[in-house]
Amino acid sequence: MNLPLSGELIAEANARDVAALEEDYHALGRQLERKGIAIDAIKDRVASFSVAVPSWGAGRGGTRFAKFPIPGEPTNVHEKLEDCAVIQQLSRVTPRVSPHFPWDKVSDYAALREEASALGLGFDAVNSNTFQDQPGQAQTYATGSLSSTVAATRAQAVEHNIECIEIGRQLGSRDLTVWVGDGTNFPGQQDLARSLDRYLEAAAEVYDALPDDWRMLLEHKMFEPAFYSTVISDWGSSILAAQELGPKAKCLVDLGHHAPNVNIEQIVARLHRFGKLGGFHFNDSKYGDDDLDSGSINPHQLFLVFNELVEAELNPRGDFRPSYMIDQSHNVTDPIESMLSSAEAIAGSFAKALLVDREALHLAQEANDTMMAFQALRRAYNVDVAPILAKARLEAGGAIDTLAAYRASRWRERKAQERKAVGLGAGIV
Ligand code: PSV
Ligand code: MN
């Protein structure tokens, strides 16, 4: 193992907090016991929960107006893996990285897999990118990718996705996430029905290249970069496409990709009902696809989503193995800090969902006792689960207070000395 932070540093940071944690954990344990809940059982479930981090989230994000890099941020996949290893070492809830190609392209993927493994990491879903042109590429994606009117462009997009599967096999992934930005900016620009036909035909070629134990996760998004219509714009288009492609095609819900105020937890329940819930990209948003930190705007929605996921686990449909991933743009924070805080928000929502008295909830629902059904959720949501999360981390060798330990490590300052400097205030993403 080649872990980035020293075990002593984490132990030292924990020594300051351990007595208070034990006290808080026992106090919460007594409180939960009165409700018939064994705190250790919840803690053990939380300990087995994990969420992947996106390789691209390790660097500062940006908007189409500007990007403000910070000294010491990673500039290549190797440095990104190092930063993801820091997040995992402290949080113990993010053991896998989701790579994006061609952004994370290297010449030797077996070596990359070993490098990650020495850092205590594995790989999650591989993400293809047919929403940007790359230097030297034969066809432009200006007309779209899998749905382009240009056959050679569609073929290039198919080929890229198949290459991603091949890379993913070498990295140990089992999912290909496909998000296409294909769409239009003007009424009449493209035939809305035929563009979907072209997408389906090209996506089927990618689907056919999937190994037996792989899944193709279709990610929908309402708008951006297309602002009038998008080919796979919503969960309806996504599930229809997934149903047409076959059993290995599932839907991926990015929390930021819906119209404002859409009931995302209901979408989750619907997709699961038809065995098509494949995964999540966690983030939060206020206006549109803002890619804000998970749970920073609407933590209650995150809890309600996990409430549906816990219900789904109790009533599995088909091969239910949702892939959980963070997908955020860290424009004004240190990405490591954002992902530590987000991982905590996500695991915390899961813990709260586990605390829901399901029997009381279901009885109240059957009896049409609206207030008591709501209270069953409310009581769980109101519990401060921080001691459960911290205890699970401590037992797994992580940090009780992840942000304090991270700051004590002076990781970013140290990397600012070692890593290639990034320009100030430059770059449009
Ligand atoms: C698109 O907005 C998206 O959510 C997709 O998941 C992409 O892969 C990712 O963002 C890239 O930033
Ligand atoms: Mn996404």
Side-chain angles (χ1 to χ4, degrees), residues 130-325:
T130 60
F131 46 86
Q132 282 177 328
D133 285 349
Q134 305 297 332
Q137 181 180 303
Q139 306 293 325
T140 174
Y141 290 126
T143 60
S145 59
L146 293 176
S147 79
S148 171
T149 48
V150 182
T153 303
R154 296 199 297 278
Q156 176 181 282
V158 167
E159 200 183 304
H160 168 67
N161 275 286
I162 293 175
E163 187 193 356
C164 285
I165 296 173
E166 185 39 46
I167 295 172
R169 285 169 82 131
Q170 297 179 55
L171 293 178
S173 304
R174 283 205 297 156
D175 292 327
L176 169 72
T177 300
V178 181
W179 171 71
V180 294
D182 297 25
T184 68
N185 283 297
F186 288 89
Q189 184 184 336
Q190 278 192 6
D191 183 300
L192 298 178
R194 285 196 199 113
S195 57
L196 183 59
D197 285 342
R198 290 191 295 270
Y199 168 89
L200 287 170
E201 200 179 299
E205 288 182 51
V206 177
Y207 183 91
D208 289 343
L210 284 176
D212 288 346
D213 58 345
W214 271 58
R215 303 180 310 170
M216 185 168 168
L217 304 179
L218 309 183
E219 180 177 358
H220 60 271
K221 170 159 151 167
M222 188 181 54
F223 75 105
E224 197 209 23
F227 291 101
Y228 169 65
S229 72
T230 295
V231 176
I232 300 297
S233 53
D234 52 15
W235 73 276
S237 314
S238 180
I239 196 171
L240 288 170
Q243 280 173 337
E244 184 141 329
L245 287 172
K248 288 187 281 182
K250 307 274 178 188
C251 304
L252 182 139
V253 178
D254 182 312
L255 295 186
H257 291 185
H258 307 90
N261 303 323
V262 155
N263 187 335
I264 300 179
E265 55 274 21
Q266 188 176 24
I267 293 174
V268 171
R270 287 281 185 275
L271 290 175
H272 178 64
R273 167 63 183 79
F274 294 95
K276 284 297 187 189
L277 185 60
F280 282 86
H281 279 180
F282 290 113
N283 53 51
D284 214 332
S285 73
K286 177 80 179 159
Y287 302 105
D289 185 25
D290 318 300
D291 285 322
L292 300 176
D293 286 14
S294 300
S296 65
I297 306 294
N298 194 346
H300 191 237
Q301 175 181 265
L302 194 56
F303 161 72
L304 294 175
V305 164
F306 271 99
N307 178 53
E308 291 308 324
L309 289 167
V310 170
E311 285 286 335
E313 254 177 44
L314 295 172
N315 302 292
R317 303 245 177 197
D319 56 336
F320 181 57
R321 59 168 175 101
S323 139
Y324 297 136
M325 219 193 85

Side-chain angles (χ1 to χ4, degrees), residues 318-340:
D319 56 336
F320 181 57
R321 59 168 175 101
S323 139
Y324 297 136
M325 219 193 85
I326 293 174
D327 182 11
Q328 307 174 162
S329 182
H330 311 114
N331 302 338
V332 294
T333 51
D334 178 329
I336 290 183
E337 294 196 353
S338 263
M339 287 199 271
L340 287 172

Side-chain angles (χ1 to χ4, degrees), residues 77 98-113 123-129 159-176 209 211 214:
V77 64
S98 189
H100 217 312
F101 297 101
W103 294 337
D104 296 323
K105 209 166 183 158
V106 293
S107 55
D108 185 347
Y109 290 103
L112 192 70
R113 187 175 180 175
F123 286 98
D124 208 88
V126 279
N127 299 260
S128 59
N129 175 348
E159 200 183 304
H160 168 67
N161 275 286
I162 293 175
E163 187 193 356
C164 285
I165 296 173
E166 185 39 46
I167 295 172
R169 285 169 82 131
Q170 297 179 55
L171 293 178
S173 304
R174 283 205 297 156
D175 292 327
L176 169 72
W214 271 58

